[in-house]
């Protein structure tokens, strides 16, 4: 019925349809048949050209090119997670015939396979053809290519097109991001955000929120995520981190609502599964969190947040060695993220491998520089060894000197003071911190310190505030219950009306509270994040 060229076209149509139906193996088979048909068609046209057939020329010109078919085959292989086959197909295309999208796919595949030099070459080729390809710019910066070198590749187009003066600063900002200089990245992006062209830019707001999260400024991180979400109600990127931060704040109802909203937008991204996993983790359903983390990784194997979720769930289920594998993969994907390193260190400490934890903490300290977070991380490991207690104290003092409001450092310093039974000093530290911010863990710890100095009424008030911030904080509940039990013998000797009042007290209600509620304060750092 059909001419050879029509048969080739039909095979490509068939393969395209199979691709859209997600039958990728079948699609590869049909694309292969199409390429064989094209090869036969080319041989026939060389041997027997159609003289005077003007109609055949435009028909042949309108046929899909072999290069396009090979690109589609590579796309199928990436969907099947057969990256080596995808690279082999694209490598077979001569360099001069590679389009920007082919070079872009090759660069991403090379990067994933650890072939950094080839990846850099391919990204540079994309920029040569498309100087405004921002994804290629980010790819080069993520592979440690200097910002100045990347900026030089876009210089001509910046000078020739109006209103592109922001691009140089944009490249500079993301160069800071990829070198782990988060403070300078925040300052640069904030200055960019003030410019009219990039004001209320959702992508920049998302990056800014992520940077605030990395430096431990959770309040500003949540604020920026909320701004981005208001501007784009269908935003998915970064919502996994936003969900985690909400869970840490004890806002589990908001986490649940966020997960439902994201699933309504798309269930083919990792983020909705990670957000739901956050909810499960903080309600102590670790098996479910493990499943949701695995599902997220299945959808996006490069999702750092999914790896951290699964690693944390495995660690809490006692499967520490499996958790270590996931945290190491997260570090490979995001070496400048402190939370990934913290997760691995917690695994080492959980398995009593203090030496490995110390080596890791020292490496992080040297690599990411001296800041409140790295100092606190190193101090956390030092606290595990009685020999290095004094060093831990010095490190925590340095951290608090840099950032007096850094909650992680305050918590660790308070733990150290509690060990030394310096309760008055601990109360002073916690009161000063709580004067500027409110945090469940800090209020609960202040309650513990006040109990130690027999300030029972104020301790009860602090436990109540902690529970108002996070109704699922089990340690605050236990603190209140312990106080009531200790008071009950004294109450028994009081007058009858006091006995009657005790009988109608709150103790029974507390004992009947949900003992399986989320207990995020039990974990020093879920995922090792800040």
């Amino acid at each position: 019925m059909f001419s050879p060229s029509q048969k080739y076209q039909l095979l490509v149509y068939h393969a395209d349809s199979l691709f859209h139906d997600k039958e990728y193996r079948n699609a590869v088979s049909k694309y292969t048949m199409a390429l064989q048909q094209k090869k036969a068609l080319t041989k026939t046209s060389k041997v027997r050209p159609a003289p005077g057939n003007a109609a055949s020329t435009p028909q042949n010109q309108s046929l899909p090119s072999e290069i396009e078919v090979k690109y589609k085959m590579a796309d199928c292989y990436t969907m099947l997670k057969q990256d080596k086959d995808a690279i082999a197909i694209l490598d077979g295309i001569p360099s001069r015939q590679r389009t920007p999208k082919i070079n872009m796919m090759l660069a991403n595949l090379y990067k994933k396979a650890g072939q950094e030099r080839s990846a850099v070459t391919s990204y540079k080729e994309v920029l040569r053809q498309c100087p405004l390809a921002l994804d290629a710019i980010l790819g080069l910066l993520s592979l440690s290519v200097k910002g100045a070198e990347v900026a030089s590749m876009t210089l001509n187009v910046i000078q020739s097109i109006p209103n592109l003066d922001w691009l140089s600063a944009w490249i500079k900002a993301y160069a800071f991001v990829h070198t782990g200089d988060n403070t300078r990245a925040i300052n640069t992006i904030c200055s960019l955000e003030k410019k009219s062209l990039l004001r209320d830019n959702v992508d920049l707001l998302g990056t800014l929120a992520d940077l605030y999260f990395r430096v431990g400024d959770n309040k500003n991180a949540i604020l920026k995520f909320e701004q981005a979400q208001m501007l784009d109600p269908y935003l998915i990127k970064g919502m996994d981190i936003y969900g985690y931060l909400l869970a840490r704040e004890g806002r589990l109802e908001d986490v649940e609502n966020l997960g439902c909203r994201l699933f309504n937008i798309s269930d083919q991204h990792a983020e909705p599964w990670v957000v739901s996993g956050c909810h499960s983790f903080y309600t102590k359903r670790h098996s479910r969190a493990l499943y949701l983390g695995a599902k997220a990784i299945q959808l996006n194997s490069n999702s750092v947040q999914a790896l951290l979720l699964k690693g944390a769930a495995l660690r809490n289920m006692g499967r520490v060695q499996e958790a270590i594998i996931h945290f190491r993969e997260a570090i490979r994907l995001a070496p400048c993220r402190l939370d990934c390193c913290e997760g691995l260190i917690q695994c080492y400490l959980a398995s009593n491998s203090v030496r490995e934890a110390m080596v890791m903490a020292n490496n992080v300290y040297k690599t990411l520089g001296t800041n409140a977070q790295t100092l606190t991380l190193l101090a956390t490991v030092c606290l595990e060894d009685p020999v290095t207690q004094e060093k831990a104290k010095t490190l925590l003092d340095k951290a608090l000197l840099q950032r007096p409001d850094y909650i992680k450092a305050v918590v660790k310093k308070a733990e150290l003071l509690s060990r030394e039974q310096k309760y008055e000093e601990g109360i002073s530290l916690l009161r000063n911190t709580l004067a500027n911010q409110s945090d469940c863990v800090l209020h609960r710890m202040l309650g513990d310190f006040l109990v130690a100095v027999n300030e029972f009424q104020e301790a009860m008030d602090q436990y109540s505030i902690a529970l108002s911030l996070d109704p699922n904080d089990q340690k605050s509940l236990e603190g209140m219950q312990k106080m009531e039990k200790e008071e009950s013998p004294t109450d028994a000797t009081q007058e009858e009306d006091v006995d009657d009042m005790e009988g109608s007290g709150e103790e029974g209600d507390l004992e009947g509270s949900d003992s399986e509620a989320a207990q995020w304060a039990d974990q020093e750092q879920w995922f090792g994040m800040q």
Side-chain angles (χ1 to χ4, degrees):
M1 274 180 72
F2 299 108
S3 67
S5 59
Q6 288 173 325
K7 188 175 180 182
Y8 167 66
Q9 178 70 81
L10 284 171
L11 283 166
V12 174
Y13 282 153
H14 189 191
D16 288 347
S17 302
L18 292 167
F19 178 87
H20 287 290
D21 278 343
K22 299 183 180 179
E23 297 183 34
Y24 302 119
R25 294 188 191 281
N26 201 352
V28 168
S29 170
K30 296 303 181 288
Y31 283 132
T32 304
M33 289 170 65
L35 287 175
Q36 290 170 348
Q37 178 66 24
K38 186 70 165 66
K39 193 179 288 186
L41 183 63
T42 306
K43 285 181 181 178
T44 307
S45 61
K46 283 181 180 176
V47 174
R48 218 175 23 165
N53 189 355
S56 65
T57 306
Q59 183 186 8
N60 287 337
Q61 285 177 346
S62 66
L63 292 174
S65 70
E66 289 181 63
I67 293 169
E68 183 64 23
V69 172
K70 287 179 178 179
Y71 174 83
K72 290 176 177 179
M73 283 181 74
D75 209 2
C76 287
Y77 281 128
T78 58
M79 293 295 182
L80 293 167
K81 303 192 187 307
Q82 296 176 224
D83 293 346
K84 286 183 180 179
D85 292 320
I87 290 173
I89 286 286
L90 297 177
D91 264 341
I93 301 171
S95 300
R96 292 183 180 180
Q97 295 179 25
R98 293 175 190 169
T99 61
K101 71 177 182 180
I102 287 172
N103 278 314
M104 193 68 192
M105 183 184 275
L106 255 179
N108 290 334
L109 287 166
Y110 283 139
K111 181 183 171 184
K112 193 176 175 183
Q115 300 178 40
E116 294 188 2
R117 186 175 295 179
S118 298
V120 167
T121 303
S122 295
Y123 280 132
K124 284 182 176 178
E125 188 58 31
V126 173
L127 275 185
R128 189 186 65 79
Q129 296 173 287
C130 304
L132 296 178
L134 299 185
D135 277 344
I137 290 172
L138 292 176
L140 285 170
L141 293 173
S142 70
L143 292 168
S144 303
V145 178
K146 291 184 178 178
E149 183 182 347
V150 176
S152 68
M153 300 176 74
T154 64
L155 199 58
N156 291 335
V157 73
I158 289 173
Q159 292 171 347
S160 60
I161 298 177
N163 299 321
L164 273 181
D165 53 318
W166 56 268
L167 185 57
S168 296
W170 186 91
I171 293 171
K172 183 181 177 182
Y174 281 94
F176 288 141
V177 171
H178 288 288
T179 54
D181 194 343
N182 296 322
T183 304
R184 292 172 78 183
I186 288 170
N187 293 336
T188 309
I189 290 177
C190 283
S191 66
L192 267 175
E193 203 188 4
K194 291 174 185 174
K195 295 187 178 181
S196 57
L197 280 174
L198 293 179
R199 187 176 292 124
D200 291 338
N201 181 282
V202 173
D203 189 64
L204 270 187
L205 282 170
T207 301
L208 195 53
D210 183 57
L211 287 166
Y212 278 128
F213 163 67
R214 293 189 190 192
V215 298
D217 189 348
N218 295 341
K219 185 179 177 181
N220 272 322
I222 290 173
L223 184 66
K224 292 301 176 183
F225 276 129
E226 286 172 350
Q227 275 184 256
Q229 200 176 209
M230 285 175 67
L231 290 165
D232 182 3
Y234 297 99
L235 179 67
I236 289 181
K237 184 181 177 183
M239 290 296 101
D240 46 358
I241 295 175
Y242 179 50
Y244 161 69
L245 289 172
L246 291 177
R248 275 206 59 180
E249 296 256 317
R251 295 164 58 181
L252 295 180
E253 189 177 343
D254 290 339
V255 176
E256 192 171 15
N257 292 336
L258 176 64
C260 292
R261 189 174 64 77
L262 292 175
F263 273 119
N264 286 333
I265 297 170
S266 172
D267 62 356
Q268 294 303 304
H269 290 77
E271 285 83 351
W273 300 90
V274 173
V275 171
S276 292
C278 288
H279 187 272
S280 296
F281 186 90
Y282 277 92
T283 50
K284 299 184 76 173
R285 294 178 293 169
H286 297 131
S287 295
R288 180 169 171 76
L290 178 62
Y291 161 74
L292 292 166
K295 179 65 179 176
I297 293 168
Q298 187 181 354
L299 290 167
N300 180 7
S301 59
N302 290 330
S303 171
V304 174
Q305 217 62 28
L307 288 162
L308 295 174
L309 169 63
K310 191 178 175 187
L314 287 165
R315 185 185 64 215
N316 279 35
M317 293 168 71
R319 295 158 63 177
V320 178
Q321 293 306 313
E322 291 175 70
I324 286 172
I325 294 169
H326 287 77
F327 285 119
R328 281 177 177 164
E329 177 63 11
I331 291 170
R332 188 188 71 80
L333 292 169
C336 289
R337 277 185 58 170
L338 188 71
D339 46 352
C340 303
C341 304
E342 285 177 334
L344 183 57
I345 285 170
Q346 285 183 10
C347 284
Y348 286 143
L349 294 178
S351 58
N352 295 318
S353 303
V354 179
R355 186 177 177 182
E356 286 84 347
M358 187 64 77
V359 170
M360 184 75 197
N362 276 310
N363 286 340
V364 171
Y365 181 75
K366 291 173 185 175
T367 306
L368 300 184
T370 304
N371 56 57
Q373 288 171 291
T374 55
L375 286 164
T376 306
L377 181 61
L378 187 55
T380 302
V381 181
C382 290
L383 283 171
E384 297 296 318
D385 188 347
V387 179
T388 52
Q389 296 286 301
E390 281 302 315
K391 184 181 178 182
K393 187 177 180 180
T394 305
L395 292 167
L396 289 171
D397 288 340
K398 285 182 180 178
L400 289 170
L401 191 63
Q402 288 190 18
R403 279 184 60 186
D405 63 338
Y406 185 42
I407 291 177
K408 176 72 175 175
V410 173
V411 169
K412 287 296 170 187
K413 181 68 183 291
E415 284 180 10
L416 185 59
L417 292 172
S418 178
R419 289 184 193 181
E420 296 173 347
Q421 298 184 357
K422 295 179 179 178
Y423 301 121
E424 293 295 342
E425 194 176 332
I427 289 170
S428 175
L429 171 69
L430 292 166
R431 284 194 199 281
N432 290 337
T433 308
L434 286 168
N436 301 313
Q437 58 185 321
S438 190
D439 180 82
C440 171
V441 177
L442 297 183
H443 281 291
R444 187 238 296 153
M445 292 187 83
L446 180 55
D448 293 341
F449 274 87
L450 289 165
V451 168
V453 295
N454 299 321
E455 296 286 345
F456 299 116
Q457 186 54 54
E458 193 181 350
M460 187 69 81
D461 293 341
Q462 293 299 325
Y463 289 137
S464 298
I465 296 170
L467 286 169
S468 71
L469 294 169
D470 181 4
N472 299 312
D473 184 41
Q474 192 71 14
K475 285 193 173 181
S476 295
L477 281 170
E478 289 170 1
M480 291 182 78
Q481 289 174 345
K482 186 178 179 182
M483 284 180 63
E484 290 175 351
K485 285 177 181 177
E486 287 176 354
E487 287 175 0
S488 59
T490 307
D491 293 341
T493 64
Q494 301 301 314
E495 294 178 357
E496 189 175 342
D497 59 331
V498 179
D499 286 335
D500 291 339
M501 204 162 67
E502 185 194 51
S504 60
E506 290 185 303
E507 187 173 355
D509 293 334
L510 285 171
E511 287 176 349
S513 63
D514 184 5
S515 62
E516 293 184 1
Q519 186 182 347
W520 75 266
D522 256 353
Q523 311 303 321
E524 280 183 297
Q525 288 277 336
W526 179 53
F527 300 166
M529 291 184 183
Q530 185 56 27

